[in-house]
Amino acid sequence: MSKAHALLLALAGLLLALPLAPIDARNYVLQVFTFLFLNVVLAQSYDIVGGQMGYVNLGHITFFAVGAYTFGILYNLQLGVPGALALGTLAVVLFAAMISYPFFRLRGAYFSLATFGLVKLMEYLTINLGWLTGGSNGLKIAPGDRVVAMYLASLAVVGAVLAASWLVGRSRLGLALRSIREDEEVARDFGVPTFRVKAQALMLSSVFPGVMG
């Protein structure tokens, strides 16, 4: 085992043991780490499209929003955490698939501007559908002590997104993404199904923010 792997395992062990640590303001510390994990997931999942494929997706946060609202609405309907989480993640992937066709007809700054429009679209939808989303007051769910559960779940998602990004980078999909980033026309001429690859990348990158939602 290399030193890097040993350090990674040691860090994972420390993070897993943190909820058991006898420290002051433990819940506050766990909440800070949970917020940090959220940002790691957003950044690493964005890298699949923005880094490996070279498409700047300014609306990546909308995947988190769709997952969060879907989960919250279904949870308030007494569906339960597993069912609400599964359907929320499915809704995010379907949303990513739905926007793939019109958005990937655009490139460069046009694609970025179109994805940025998703942020405003979500804002208008959440305000105008206030009866469903809570409007400007936000969507509320039943209170409860979920600090440790959220921390552990977020840590698991961080591990999953890091593993997925590593695997994609060493797969045929990752090679296709990098070929699109370097020259999409040449990649298409050499037989890369560019639209399918781009749609797969967007749907994959949407999964992890959707779960975190």
Side-chain angles (χ1 to χ4, degrees), residues 2 111 123 171 197 199:
S2 67
F111 174 83
E123 179 184 351
S171 66
V197 168

Side-chain angles (χ1 to χ4, degrees), residues 93-156:
V93 174
L94 292 176
F95 175 72
M98 181 180 67
I99 66 175
S100 292
Y101 180 75
F103 279 37
F104 283 131
R105 293 173 66 88
L106 306 171
R107 296 187 191 176
Y110 298 104
F111 174 83
S112 300
L113 287 173
T115 56
F116 180 72
L118 281 176
V119 180
K120 297 303 293 183
L121 175 62
M122 287 300 301
E123 179 184 351
Y124 291 140
L125 285 176
T126 53
I127 291 175
N128 290 309
L129 298 177
W131 59 272
L132 182 64
T133 63
S136 57
N137 293 322
L139 181 65
K140 298 178 175 61
I141 63 175
D145 185 7
R146 306 183 182 92
V147 175
V148 174
M150 285 296 300
Y151 170 84
L152 293 175
S154 300
L155 179 58

Side-chain angles (χ1 to χ4, degrees), residues 176-196:
L177 294 178
R178 291 190 294 275
S179 69
I180 291 172
R181 181 186 63 196
E182 297 304 321
D183 194 318
E184 189 167 342
E185 297 296 338
V186 172
R188 182 185 296 111
D189 291 343
F190 274 84
V192 176
T194 53
F195 173 76
R196 188 180 71 190

Side-chain angles (χ1 to χ4, degrees), residues 37-110:
F37 294 157
L38 168 61
N39 284 276
V40 171
V41 169
L42 289 174
Q44 196 64 48
S45 59
Y46 168 84
D47 182 68
I48 296 173
V49 171
Q52 298 195 47
M53 194 171 73
Y55 271 66
V56 180
N57 179 10
L58 298 179
H60 186 65
I61 191 63
T62 58
F63 298 139
F64 174 81
V66 171
Y69 274 104
T70 305
F71 173 86
I73 292 167
L74 294 175
Y75 182 79
N76 286 340
L77 293 174
Q78 309 301 318
L79 187 60
V81 172
L85 183 61
L87 291 178
T89 305
L90 178 61
V92 174
V93 174
L94 292 176
F95 175 72
M98 181 180 67
I99 66 175
S100 292
Y101 180 75
F103 279 37
F104 283 131
R105 293 173 66 88
L106 306 171
R107 296 187 191 176
Y110 298 104

